[in-house]
Amino acid sequence: AQTVTQSQPEMSVQEAETVTLSCTYDTSESDYYLFWYKQPPSRQMILVIRQEAYKQQNATENRFSVNFQKAAKSFSLKISDSQLGDAAMYFCAYRTGYALNFGKGTSLLVTP
Amino acid sequence: NAGVTQTPKFRILKIGQSMTLQCTQDMNHNYMYWYRQDPGMGLKLIYYSVGAGITDKGEVPNGYNVSRSTTEDFPLRLELAAPSQTSVYFCASSYFVQGSGNTIYFGEGSWLTVV
């Protein structure tokens, strides 16, 4: 069974600073996809960034970037220049085949 | 640009009652899903569908039923509601082709409380 582990239940960052959220996963597949979703208090699931396992280059979306280490099965999310609006739950998810497997999430607090 | 639409957003049920959560998508996606999210947890897959007329169980299907009569609609039926079904329910959809990692799009969630 595939599992996704987020070892940080809570993280805190000051506005304008950088924070990294950790994610590891367990799989025997070679072809898969990884995602970070943001869930604000409204509970809406918002896609932040995605990474294809066959790509060596780390994905980047504006202030969000990932550090994808395939051999280590690690997929961390870096948020640069943190903003108050970044405060949310962040879920790491893994997909091979039809559906996503989610980690338990990391709650990110952004302080002024 | 409606995307994935779920109704109702909030519902309180009494133990033993039944109800249906409605979900519709306008993106012509072949795959649709129902997830539940319990407090402090990630999302768990209840049921999914790969196309009209085809459904299959996910990780936590007990107590639920689904149907997929059209590409657009994927209702989730709760029979004999129990307090353990108190959760936030998400419908989602994706255009999936083997070998691709197409993004899964989520509805805004339905908050269900069973008392």
Coordinates of all heavy atoms in Angstrom, one line a residue, chain B residues 41-104:
Chain B
M41 N -7.3 15.0 9.9 CA -6.9 13.9 9.0 C -6.8 14.4 7.6 O -7.4 15.4 7.2 CB -7.8 12.7 9.1 CG -8.0 12.2 10.5 SD -6.4 11.4 11.1 CE -6.4 9.9 10.2
G42 N -6.2 13.6 6.8 CA -6.2 13.8 5.3 C -7.5 13.3 4.7 O -8.3 12.8 5.5
L43 N -7.6 13.3 3.5 CA -8.8 12.8 2.8 C -8.7 11.3 2.5 O -7.6 10.9 2.1 CB -9.0 13.6 1.4 CG -9.6 15.0 1.5 CD1 -8.7 16.0 2.2 CD2 -10.0 15.4 0.1
K44 N -9.8 10.7 2.7 CA -9.8 9.2 2.4 C -10.9 9.0 1.3 O -12.0 9.5 1.4 CB -10.1 8.4 3.7 CG -9.0 8.5 4.7 CD -9.2 7.6 5.9 CE -8.1 7.6 6.8 NZ -8.2 6.7 8.0
L45 N -10.6 8.1 0.4 CA -11.4 7.8 -0.7 C -12.6 6.9 -0.3 O -12.3 5.8 0.2 CB -10.6 7.2 -1.9 CG -11.3 6.9 -3.2 CD1 -11.8 8.2 -3.8 CD2 -10.4 6.1 -4.1
I46 N -13.8 7.3 -0.7 CA -15.0 6.5 -0.3 C -15.3 5.6 -1.6 O -15.4 4.4 -1.5 CB -16.2 7.4 0.0 CG1 -15.8 8.3 1.2 CG2 -17.4 6.5 0.4 CD1 -16.9 9.3 1.4
Y47 N -15.6 6.2 -2.7 CA -15.9 5.6 -3.9 C -15.4 6.4 -5.1 O -15.1 7.6 -4.9 CB -17.5 5.5 -4.1 CG -18.1 4.3 -3.5 CD1 -18.7 4.3 -2.3 CD2 -18.2 3.1 -4.3 CE1 -19.3 3.2 -1.7 CE2 -18.9 2.0 -3.8 CZ -19.4 2.0 -2.5 OH -20.0 0.9 -2.0
Y48 N -15.2 5.7 -6.2 CA -14.8 6.5 -7.4 C -15.5 5.8 -8.6 O -16.1 4.7 -8.5 CB -13.3 6.5 -7.6 CG -12.7 5.1 -7.9 CD1 -12.4 4.8 -9.3 CD2 -12.5 4.2 -7.0 CE1 -11.8 3.6 -9.6 CE2 -11.9 3.0 -7.3 CZ -11.6 2.7 -8.6 OH -11.0 1.5 -8.9
S49 N -15.5 6.6 -9.7 CA -16.1 6.1 -10.9 C -15.3 6.5 -12.1 O -14.7 7.6 -12.2 CB -17.5 6.8 -11.1 OG -18.0 6.6 -12.4
V50 N -15.1 5.5 -13.0 CA -14.2 5.8 -14.2 C -15.0 6.2 -15.4 O -14.5 6.5 -16.4 CB -13.4 4.5 -14.5 CG1 -12.6 4.1 -13.3 CG2 -14.3 3.4 -15.0
G51 N -16.4 6.2 -15.3 CA -17.2 6.7 -16.3 C -18.6 6.3 -16.0 O -18.9 5.6 -15.1
A52 N -19.6 6.8 -16.9 CA -21.0 6.5 -16.6 C -21.2 5.0 -16.5 O -20.8 4.3 -17.4 CB -21.8 7.2 -17.7
G53 N -22.0 4.6 -15.5 CA -22.3 3.2 -15.3 C -21.3 2.4 -14.6 O -21.6 1.2 -14.3
I54 N -20.2 3.0 -14.2 CA -19.1 2.2 -13.6 C -18.7 2.8 -12.3 O -18.2 4.0 -12.3 CB -17.9 2.0 -14.5 CG1 -18.3 1.5 -15.9 CG2 -16.8 1.2 -13.9 CD1 -17.2 1.5 -16.9
T55 N -18.8 2.1 -11.2 CA -18.3 2.6 -9.9 C -17.5 1.6 -9.2 O -17.7 0.4 -9.5 CB -19.5 3.1 -9.0 OG1 -20.3 1.9 -8.7 CG2 -20.3 4.1 -9.7
D56 N -16.7 2.0 -8.3 CA -15.9 1.0 -7.5 C -15.6 1.6 -6.1 O -15.6 2.8 -5.9 CB -14.6 0.7 -8.2 CG -14.1 -0.7 -7.8 OD1 -14.7 -1.3 -6.9 OD2 -13.2 -1.2 -8.5
K57 N -15.3 0.7 -5.2 CA -15.1 1.1 -3.8 C -13.7 1.6 -3.7 O -12.7 1.2 -4.3 CB -15.2 -0.1 -2.9 CG -16.7 -0.7 -2.9 CD -16.7 -1.9 -2.0 CE -18.2 -2.5 -2.0 NZ -18.2 -3.7 -1.1
G58 N -13.6 2.6 -2.7 CA -12.3 3.1 -2.3 C -11.9 2.5 -1.0 O -12.2 1.4 -0.7
E59 N -11.2 3.3 -0.2 CA -10.7 2.8 1.1 C -11.7 2.7 2.2 O -11.7 1.8 3.0 CB -9.6 3.8 1.6 CG -8.9 3.5 2.8 CD -7.9 4.6 3.2 OE1 -7.7 5.6 2.5 OE2 -7.2 4.4 4.3
V60 N -12.8 3.5 2.2 CA -13.8 3.5 3.3 C -15.2 3.6 2.8 O -15.9 4.5 3.0 CB -13.5 4.7 4.2 CG1 -12.2 4.5 5.1 CG2 -13.4 6.0 3.5
P61 N -15.7 2.5 2.1 CA -17.0 2.5 1.4 C -18.2 2.2 2.3 O -19.3 2.4 1.9 CB -16.8 1.5 0.3 CG -15.9 0.5 0.9 CD -14.9 1.3 1.8
N62 N -17.9 1.6 3.5 CA -19.0 1.1 4.3 C -20.0 2.2 4.7 O -19.5 3.2 5.2 CB -18.5 0.3 5.5 CG -17.8 -1.0 5.1 OD1 -18.0 -1.5 4.0 ND2 -17.0 -1.5 6.0
G63 N -21.3 1.9 4.5 CA -22.3 2.9 4.9 C -22.7 3.9 3.8 O -23.5 4.8 4.0
Y64 N -22.1 3.7 2.6 CA -22.3 4.6 1.5 C -22.7 3.8 0.2 O -22.3 2.7 0.1 CB -21.1 5.5 1.2 CG -20.5 6.2 2.4 CD1 -19.5 5.7 3.1 CD2 -21.0 7.4 2.7 CE1 -19.0 6.3 4.2 CE2 -20.5 8.1 3.8 CZ -19.5 7.6 4.6 OH -19.0 8.2 5.6
N65 N -23.4 4.5 -0.7 CA -23.6 4.0 -2.0 C -23.5 5.1 -3.0 O -23.8 6.3 -2.7 CB -25.0 3.3 -2.1 CG -25.0 1.9 -1.5 OD1 -24.3 1.1 -2.0 ND2 -25.8 1.8 -0.5
V66 N -23.1 4.8 -4.2 CA -23.0 5.8 -5.3 C -23.6 5.2 -6.6 O -23.9 4.0 -6.7 CB -21.6 6.1 -5.6 CG1 -20.9 6.9 -4.4 CG2 -20.8 4.9 -6.0
S67 N -23.9 6.1 -7.5 CA -24.3 5.8 -8.8 C -23.7 6.8 -9.8 O -23.4 7.9 -9.4 CB -25.8 5.7 -8.9 OG -26.4 7.0 -8.6
R68 N -23.6 6.4 -11.0 CA -23.1 7.3 -12.1 C -23.9 7.0 -13.3 O -23.5 6.3 -14.2 CB -21.6 7.1 -12.3 CG -21.0 8.1 -13.3 CD -20.2 9.1 -12.6 NE -19.6 10.1 -13.6 CZ -18.4 10.0 -14.0 NH1 -17.6 9.0 -13.7 NH2 -17.9 10.9 -14.8
S69 N -25.0 7.7 -13.4 CA -25.9 7.5 -14.6 C -25.5 8.4 -15.8 O -25.8 8.1 -16.9 CB -27.3 7.8 -14.3 OG -27.5 9.1 -13.7
T70 N -24.8 9.5 -15.5 CA -24.3 10.4 -16.5 C -22.9 10.8 -16.3 O -22.4 10.5 -15.2 CB -25.1 11.7 -16.6 OG1 -24.9 12.4 -15.4 CG2 -26.6 11.5 -16.7
T71 N -22.2 11.3 -17.2 CA -20.8 11.8 -17.1 C -20.7 12.9 -16.0 O -19.8 12.9 -15.3 CB -20.2 12.3 -18.4 OG1 -20.3 11.2 -19.3 CG2 -18.8 12.8 -18.2
E72 N -21.7 13.7 -16.0 CA -21.7 14.9 -15.1 C -22.0 14.7 -13.6 O -21.5 15.4 -12.8 CB -22.7 15.9 -15.6 CG -22.4 16.5 -17.0 CD -22.8 15.5 -18.1 OE1 -23.6 14.6 -17.9 OE2 -22.4 15.7 -19.3
D73 N -22.8 13.7 -13.3 CA -23.3 13.6 -12.0 C -22.8 12.3 -11.2 O -22.8 11.2 -11.8 CB -24.9 13.5 -12.0 CG -25.4 14.8 -12.6 OD1 -25.0 15.9 -12.2 OD2 -26.3 14.7 -13.6
F74 N -22.6 12.5 -10.0 CA -22.0 11.4 -9.1 C -22.6 11.6 -7.7 O -21.8 12.0 -6.8 CB -20.5 11.4 -9.2 CG -19.9 10.2 -8.6 CD1 -20.3 8.9 -8.9 CD2 -18.7 10.3 -7.8 CE1 -19.7 7.8 -8.4 CE2 -18.1 9.2 -7.3 CZ -18.6 7.9 -7.6
P75 N -23.8 11.2 -7.4 CA -24.3 11.4 -6.1 C -23.8 10.3 -5.1 O -23.6 9.2 -5.5 CB -25.9 11.3 -6.3 CG -26.0 10.4 -7.6 CD -24.8 10.8 -8.4
L76 N -23.7 10.7 -3.9 CA -23.3 9.9 -2.8 C -24.5 9.7 -1.8 O -25.0 10.7 -1.3 CB -22.1 10.4 -2.0 CG -21.6 9.7 -0.8 CD1 -20.9 8.4 -1.3 CD2 -20.7 10.5 0.0
R77 N -24.9 8.5 -1.6 CA -26.0 8.2 -0.7 C -25.5 7.6 0.6 O -24.7 6.7 0.7 CB -26.9 7.1 -1.4 CG -28.1 6.6 -0.6 CD -29.3 7.6 -0.8 NE -30.5 7.1 -0.1 CZ -31.5 7.8 0.2 NH1 -31.5 9.1 -0.1 NH2 -32.5 7.3 0.8
L78 N -26.0 8.2 1.7 CA -25.8 7.7 3.0 C -27.0 7.0 3.5 O -28.1 7.6 3.6 CB -25.4 8.8 4.0 CG -24.0 9.4 4.0 CD1 -23.8 10.3 2.7 CD2 -23.8 10.2 5.2
E79 N -26.9 5.8 3.8 CA -28.1 5.0 4.4 C -27.9 4.8 5.9 O -26.8 4.5 6.3 CB -28.1 3.6 3.7 CG -28.2 3.7 2.2 CD -29.6 4.0 1.6 OE1 -30.5 4.2 2.5 OE2 -29.8 4.0 0.4
L80 N -28.9 5.0 6.6 CA -28.9 4.8 8.1 C -27.7 5.5 8.7 O -26.7 4.9 9.2 CB -28.8 3.3 8.4 CG -29.9 2.4 7.9 CD1 -29.7 0.9 8.1 CD2 -31.2 2.9 8.6
A81 N -27.7 6.8 8.7 CA -26.6 7.7 9.1 C -26.2 7.3 10.6 O -27.0 7.1 11.4 CB -27.0 9.1 9.1
A82 N -24.9 7.3 10.8 CA -24.3 7.0 12.1 C -23.4 8.2 12.5 O -22.8 8.9 11.6 CB -23.5 5.7 12.0
P83 N -23.1 8.4 13.8 CA -22.2 9.5 14.2 C -20.9 9.4 13.6 O -20.2 10.4 13.4 CB -22.2 9.3 15.7 CG -23.5 8.7 16.1 CD -23.8 7.7 14.9
S84 N -20.4 8.2 13.3 CA -19.1 8.0 12.7 C -19.0 8.6 11.3 O -17.9 8.7 10.7 CB -18.7 6.5 12.6 OG -19.6 5.8 11.8
Q85 N -20.2 8.9 10.7 CA -20.2 9.5 9.4 C -20.1 11.1 9.4 O -20.2 11.7 8.4 CB -21.4 9.0 8.6 CG -21.3 7.6 8.2 CD -22.5 7.1 7.5 OE1 -23.7 7.2 8.0 NE2 -22.3 6.5 6.4
T86 N -20.1 11.6 10.6 CA -19.8 13.0 10.7 C -18.5 13.4 10.1 O -17.5 12.9 10.6 CB -19.9 13.5 12.2 OG1 -21.2 13.3 12.7 CG2 -19.5 14.9 12.4
S87 N -18.5 14.2 9.1 CA -17.3 14.5 8.4 C -17.5 15.6 7.4 O -18.6 16.1 7.2 CB -16.8 13.2 7.7 OG -15.5 13.3 7.2
V88 N -16.4 16.0 6.7 CA -16.6 16.9 5.5 C -16.4 16.0 4.3 O -15.4 15.2 4.2 CB -15.5 18.0 5.6 CG1 -15.7 18.9 4.3 CG2 -15.7 18.8 6.8
Y89 N -17.3 16.1 3.4 CA -17.3 15.2 2.2 C -16.9 16.1 1.0 O -17.4 17.2 0.7 CB -18.6 14.6 2.0 CG -19.0 13.6 3.0 CD1 -19.5 14.0 4.3 CD2 -18.7 12.2 2.8 CE1 -19.7 13.0 5.3 CE2 -19.0 11.3 3.8 CZ -19.5 11.7 5.0 OH -19.7 10.8 6.0
F90 N -16.0 15.6 0.2 CA -15.5 16.2 -1.0 C -15.8 15.4 -2.2 O -15.4 14.2 -2.3 CB -14.0 16.5 -1.0 CG -13.6 17.6 0.0 CD1 -13.3 17.2 1.3 CD2 -13.6 18.9 -0.3 CE1 -12.9 18.2 2.2 CE2 -13.3 19.9 0.6 CZ -12.9 19.5 1.9
C91 N -16.4 16.0 -3.2 CA -16.5 15.4 -4.5 C -15.4 15.9 -5.4 O -15.0 17.1 -5.2 CB -17.9 15.7 -5.1 SG -18.1 15.0 -6.8
A92 N -14.9 15.1 -6.3 CA -13.8 15.6 -7.1 C -13.9 14.9 -8.5 O -14.6 13.9 -8.7 CB -12.4 15.2 -6.5
S93 N -13.2 15.5 -9.5 CA -13.2 14.9 -10.8 C -11.9 15.1 -11.5 O -11.1 16.0 -11.1 CB -14.3 15.5 -11.6 OG -14.0 16.8 -12.0
S94 N -11.6 14.3 -12.5 CA -10.4 14.4 -13.2 C -10.5 13.8 -14.6 O -11.3 12.8 -14.7 CB -9.3 13.6 -12.4 OG -8.1 13.5 -13.2
Y95 N -9.8 14.3 -15.5 CA -9.7 13.6 -16.8 C -8.5 12.7 -16.7 O -7.4 13.2 -16.7 CB -9.6 14.5 -18.0 CG -9.6 13.8 -19.3 CD1 -10.7 13.2 -19.8 CD2 -8.4 13.6 -20.0 CE1 -10.7 12.4 -21.0 CE2 -8.4 12.9 -21.2 CZ -9.5 12.3 -21.7 OH -9.5 11.6 -22.8
F96 N -8.7 11.4 -16.7 CA -7.6 10.5 -16.5 C -7.4 9.6 -17.6 O -8.3 9.0 -18.2 CB -7.9 9.6 -15.2 CG -6.8 8.6 -15.0 CD1 -5.6 9.0 -14.5 CD2 -7.1 7.3 -15.2 CE1 -4.6 8.1 -14.3 CE2 -6.1 6.3 -14.9 CZ -4.8 6.8 -14.5
V97 N -6.1 9.6 -18.1 CA -5.7 8.6 -19.1 C -4.4 7.9 -18.5 O -3.6 8.6 -17.9 CB -5.3 9.4 -20.4 CG1 -4.7 8.4 -21.4 CG2 -6.5 10.0 -21.0
Q98 N -4.4 6.6 -18.6 CA -3.3 5.9 -18.1 C -1.9 6.5 -18.5 O -1.7 6.7 -19.6 CB -3.3 4.4 -18.5 CG -2.4 3.5 -17.8 CD -2.6 3.4 -16.3 OE1 -3.8 3.3 -15.9 NE2 -1.6 3.4 -15.5
G99 N -1.1 6.7 -17.5 CA 0.2 7.2 -17.8 C 0.3 8.7 -17.6 O 1.3 9.3 -17.7
S100 N -0.9 9.3 -17.3 CA -0.9 10.8 -17.1 C -1.2 11.1 -15.7 O -1.7 10.2 -14.9 CB -1.9 11.4 -18.0 OG -3.2 11.2 -17.5
G101 N -0.9 12.2 -15.2 CA -1.1 12.6 -13.8 C -2.0 13.8 -13.7 O -1.8 14.7 -13.0
N102 N -3.1 13.7 -14.6 CA -4.0 14.9 -14.6 C -4.5 15.3 -13.3 O -4.8 14.4 -12.4 CB -5.1 14.6 -15.6 CG -4.7 14.5 -17.0 OD1 -3.9 13.6 -17.3 ND2 -5.0 15.4 -17.8
T103 N -4.6 16.6 -13.0 CA -4.9 17.1 -11.8 C -6.4 16.7 -11.4 O -7.3 16.6 -12.2 CB -4.8 18.6 -11.8 OG1 -3.5 18.9 -12.1 CG2 -5.2 19.2 -10.5
I104 N -6.6 16.4 -10.1 CA -7.9 16.2 -9.6 C -8.4 17.5 -9.0 O -7.8 18.1 -8.2 CB -7.9 15.1 -8.5 CG1 -7.5 13.7 -9.2 CG2 -9.2 15.0 -7.8 CD1 -7.4 12.6 -8.2

